[in-house]
């Protein structure tokens, strides 16, 4: 008699095939519970309950190394923030506002006599289909317009965004 693990090995492919034939599938989440941006990989991931379900290439600020310190440094911030606004009439094809600067960002910039800046967004490009060099923003996170339309539908205000080096 076959061991239970061996039987499972033979039954599992059949079960998957049956699910596909019958139209049973594990549905992709419709909303992200978190966003992760990996600056070194130039990737934005939409995450639902700990599992990434969508991944998009991104462009960052012209000077992407390190955490944003002040207005005009062209860096993309690093750390934990929230999506705190939505602009359907954005200059850059939809935008989601990121809660930069937080109190630590403000204190760090002011200790150097600088303005921390603000208006950091996830956004599309100026025109549909426009291609740009890899990093071109003033500190925002840019995606294609098609990606921005998907992200717009799957991210609500209050969603946590983690931006890592």
């Amino acid at each position: 008699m076959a061991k239970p693990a061996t039987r499972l090995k033979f039954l599992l492919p059949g079960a998957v095939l049956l699910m596909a034939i019958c139209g049973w599938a594990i549905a992709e989440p419709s909303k992200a519970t978190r966003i992760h941006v990996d600056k070194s990989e130039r990737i934005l991931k939409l995450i639902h309950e700990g599992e990434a379900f969508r991944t998009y290439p991104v462009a960052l600020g012209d000077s992407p190394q390190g955490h944003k310190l002040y207005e005009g440094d062209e860096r993309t911030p690093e750390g934990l923030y929230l999506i705190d606004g939505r602009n359907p009439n954005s200059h850059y094809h939809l935008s989601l506002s990121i809660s930069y600067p937080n109190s630590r960002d403000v204190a760090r910039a002011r200790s150097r006599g600088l303005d921390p800046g603000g208006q950091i967004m996830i956004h599309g490009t100026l025109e549909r289909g426009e291609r740009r060099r890899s990093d071109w923003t003033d500190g925002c996170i840019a995606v294609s317009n098609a990606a921005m339309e998907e992200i717009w539908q799957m991210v609500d205000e209050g969603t946590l965004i983690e931006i890592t080096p």
Side-chain angles (χ1 to χ4, degrees):
M1 181 169 193
K3 294 181 182 177
T6 304
R7 275 187 258 146
L8 183 59
K9 184 168 63 173
F10 291 110
L11 293 175
L12 190 57
V16 171
L17 179 61
L18 180 61
M19 288 174 62
I21 291 169
C22 294
W24 302 333
I26 299 172
E28 181 178 81
S30 62
K31 292 291 182 180
T33 54
R34 184 180 181 111
I35 301 168
H36 178 245
V37 176
D38 184 322
K39 289 173 54 174
S40 65
E41 296 291 326
R42 303 296 191 280
I43 294 290
L44 179 150
K45 293 179 183 179
L46 296 183
I47 299 168
H48 181 79
E49 296 179 0
E51 297 292 325
F53 68 96
R54 291 277 175 103
T55 302
Y56 305 94
V58 300
L60 303 171
D62 275 329
S63 183
Q65 297 295 320
H67 179 61
K68 183 165 193 64
L69 298 175
Y70 59 90
E71 184 171 14
D73 68 5
E74 296 188 339
R75 291 181 178 173
T76 301
E78 297 170 358
L80 293 174
Y81 299 94
L82 295 173
I83 298 300
D84 65 355
R86 300 166 62 83
N87 184 356
N89 301 311
S90 172
H91 184 68
Y92 290 102
H93 190 70
L94 304 174
S95 65
L96 297 173
S97 177
I98 298 172
S99 64
Y100 174 88
N102 60 30
S103 58
R104 283 186 309 239
D105 298 322
V106 171
R108 184 182 303 120
R110 293 209 174 131
S111 73
R112 294 177 168 103
L114 302 168
D115 181 340
Q119 295 195 11
I120 301 297
M121 315 274 177
I122 301 171
H123 61 67
T125 61
L126 286 172
E127 297 178 20
R128 189 166 295 283
E130 179 180 344
R131 296 189 65 102
R132 296 244 185 177
R133 58 189 163 77
S134 61
D135 291 321
W136 58 270
T137 75
D138 289 336
C140 292
I141 299 161
V143 296
S144 72
N145 289 347
M148 191 63 222
E149 289 173 13
E150 290 181 7
I151 294 166
W152 181 263
Q153 295 299 320
M154 292 184 264
V155 173
D156 292 329
E157 282 186 51
T159 301
L160 184 69
I161 178 169
E162 179 181 20
I163 306 168
T164 58

